[in-house]
Amino acid sequence: MSDSSFAPIPFQLRQNIVPLHEEKFMLDSMLDGWSEQQSSRGLERKTAATRAKLIRRFQEFTETYPWEWTSSDLEAFSVHLLSGRRPLAKSTLRAYQTMIRMFCDYLVDDRYGWRQACSDRFGTSPRQICHDWNTVVHLVEYEGRPQRRALTYDELERFFEAADERVLRIQRAGKKGALAALRDSLIFKTTYAFGLRRAEVAGLDVPDLRSNPSAPTFGTCGVVYVRWGKGSRGSGPKRRTVLALAEYSWAVEGLLHWVKSDREHYGAAESGPLWPTERNTRVSLRYLDQRFAEIRDEVGLPPELSLHALRHTYVTNLIEWGYAERFVQDQVGHAYASTTAIYTSVGDDFKTRVVAQSLASIYGSTDDHELR
């Protein structure tokens, strides 16, 4: 057990500085130290900045400082976040509580000396205020909105037909914007055909499209190299390769034509963004969300469905078509098979076929046998 009398002086306090506002100076020093600890662990600066922003928000809510915080402060903050016109989802609240817990863990670790420093200056020291009995418990694997799901085959067909119709409608009216509408349609088809996230499809450059020697018919679009995959626990973007599949040859064909012919009308660099704008910038995530919502509403799909539904649909369809779960997991970049399972919501037709095959293997053809 460590002796607090031998606790080190935090590095951030070793300089000969007389602060005008000692409490604020101490909080700033704590956050600087915590940020350095996270950077030392290889986490991104953006992750540390996000966590620090939440800690400052919590401090402003309590109007007290870390060495004064109590479990009641956390509970009041949690109730505040769960109330109002736009209450937080439980998963988000748990993430916030976890950040506060990690900050408190850092402060109470005597190897950093914060408890002794606060005791010497303020007569009290930080403590852990997050416990199992006052924080959100993770009970189920998936806590997203139940309304968010994969699209049915009929919904998918209606969506893509509407996206293509927008191109034709603009062309017939002789208005500007047909090229952008074509680009948007191909973005959505590529998102679905390769099971991509928003940031992954928006971040694609032309060199990220590569050939697959095992599938020469796909040309230079046999493989999509994803450079902006979702990281975990503050790590940087994860990279992976996604293979084009025979079931999506129709989408790959449109992508090939875009690269070879249509894209050049933007005057973008050959090795630049795959989806350029008229200003030679990259399409934004907000733009993609807006365009998806417009088409979704036009065909009467539920408002809860977002662009991410195309990725859900991709996973579901691959499972229905008989692809191995490990292959699907690698295609979409999930670290765990359980995450892929969350995305899967196979349709009734698939379930009916599975049951029919199972019965046939036991009883033979169900047409010739009556089940009793």
Side-chain angles (χ1 to χ4, degrees):
M1 186 172 180
S2 62
D3 186 345
S4 60
S5 61
F6 293 98
I9 299 175
F11 177 79
Q12 290 74 18
L13 303 180
R14 294 179 190 174
Q15 302 179 29
N16 234 350
I17 297 176
V18 179
L20 295 176
H21 192 308
E22 194 165 15
E23 290 84 357
K24 183 179 182 303
F25 173 75
M26 180 65 80
L27 176 61
D28 292 342
S29 300
M30 288 174 168
L31 290 174
D32 288 343
W34 193 37
S35 176
E36 291 175 3
Q37 182 220 46
Q38 294 173 82
S39 295
S40 179
R41 292 164 51 201
L43 303 186
E44 295 228 326
R45 289 284 183 181
K46 182 179 179 180
T47 299
T50 299
R51 293 173 175 176
K53 184 177 180 180
L54 174 70
I55 296 302
R56 292 190 183 280
R57 180 180 175 184
F58 181 54
Q59 186 275 323
E60 292 174 358
F61 175 84
T62 62
E63 297 183 342
T64 57
Y65 289 91
W67 50 93
E68 302 171 298
W69 290 345
T70 66
S71 296
S72 297
D73 291 326
L74 177 78
E75 293 156 14
F77 184 60
S78 300
V79 171
H80 169 72
L81 295 176
L82 289 173
S83 60
R85 295 179 59 185
R86 299 184 63 181
L88 289 185
K90 286 187 178 180
S91 57
T92 305
L93 175 61
R94 184 177 56 251
Y96 285 4
Q97 292 173 342
T98 299
M99 293 181 196
I100 297 173
R101 185 196 296 269
M102 289 189 296
F103 181 59
C104 290
D105 281 341
Y106 167 71
L107 296 182
V108 301
D109 189 332
D110 285 336
R111 289 172 294 185
Y112 294 102
W114 292 111
R115 291 206 303 175
Q116 186 64 44
C118 290
S119 180
D120 292 341
R121 295 186 182 218
F122 309 111
T124 184
S125 58
R127 72 202 76 176
Q128 179 57 262
I129 64 173
C130 300
H131 309 281
D132 291 342
W133 40 265
N134 69 346
T135 55
V136 178
V137 180
H138 196 164
L139 297 177
V140 296
E141 289 185 285
Y142 180 65
E143 296 178 327
R145 297 180 183 177
Q147 298 92 334
R148 293 181 177 176
R149 57 170 174 78
L151 301 178
T152 66
Y153 290 107
D154 177 64
E155 290 173 335
L156 198 65
E157 184 176 0
R158 283 159 47 202
F159 180 86
F160 287 134
E161 283 182 352
D164 292 338
E165 177 60 29
R166 287 168 69 93
V167 182
L168 299 176
R169 190 163 59 242
I170 294 174
Q171 288 177 333
R172 287 194 295 264
K175 296 181 179 179
K176 182 180 178 181
L179 184 61
L182 173 63
R183 177 200 61 202
D184 297 345
S185 177
L186 290 171
I187 290 176
F188 297 138
K189 292 175 182 177
T190 301
T191 300
Y192 167 59
F194 291 91
L196 304 179
R197 300 180 178 91
R198 292 183 312 158
E200 294 172 350
V201 71
L204 290 176
D205 289 339
V206 174
D208 295 327
L209 305 179
R210 305 176 183 182
S211 60
N212 181 0
S214 300
T217 56
F218 293 140
T220 57
C221 296
V223 173
V224 168
Y225 184 55
V226 176
R227 293 177 293 114
W228 297 98
K230 183 180 179 181
S232 58
R233 297 188 179 184
S235 66
K238 290 184 178 180
R239 302 190 177 201
R240 73 179 188 279
T241 55
V242 185
L243 304 181
L245 305 178
E247 290 83 356
Y248 298 107
S249 58
W250 54 273
V252 177
E253 182 180 348
L255 183 58
L256 273 170
H257 194 275
W258 170 260
V259 175
K260 293 180 179 180
S261 178
D262 299 320
R263 180 181 174 275
E264 66 183 20
H265 294 297
Y266 275 110
E270 291 185 4
S271 59
L274 180 60
W275 317 109
T277 67
E278 292 182 349
R279 297 181 179 180
N280 274 328
T281 58
R282 195 181 299 274
V283 292
S284 67
L285 302 186
R286 182 178 181 183
Y287 175 87
L288 295 181
D289 286 339
Q290 291 174 338
R291 289 295 174 269
F292 179 89
E294 288 176 2
I295 301 175
R296 176 201 65 200
D297 296 342
E298 181 180 331
V299 298
L301 296 179
E304 295 85 3
L305 297 179
S306 66
L307 177 57
H308 203 65
L310 296 178
R311 178 172 161 88
H312 278 264
T313 309
Y314 175 82
V315 173
T316 297
N317 291 165
L318 260 57
I319 296 297
E320 290 181 339
W321 296 336
Y323 283 91
E325 292 183 9
R326 178 63 193 185
F327 175 80
V328 179
Q329 179 184 343
D330 290 341
Q331 284 282 94
V332 295
H334 287 155
Y336 304 101
S338 58
T339 307
T340 306
I342 292 171
Y343 276 66
T344 307
S345 53
V346 295
D348 291 337
D349 291 342
F350 172 76
K351 295 176 183 178
T352 301
R353 291 198 305 271
V354 171
V355 172
Q357 291 170 2
S358 176
L359 292 174
S361 66
I362 299 174
Y363 299 103
S365 174
T366 56
D367 293 335
D368 302 327
H369 296 80
E370 181 180 355
L371 300 181
R372 299 182 182 276

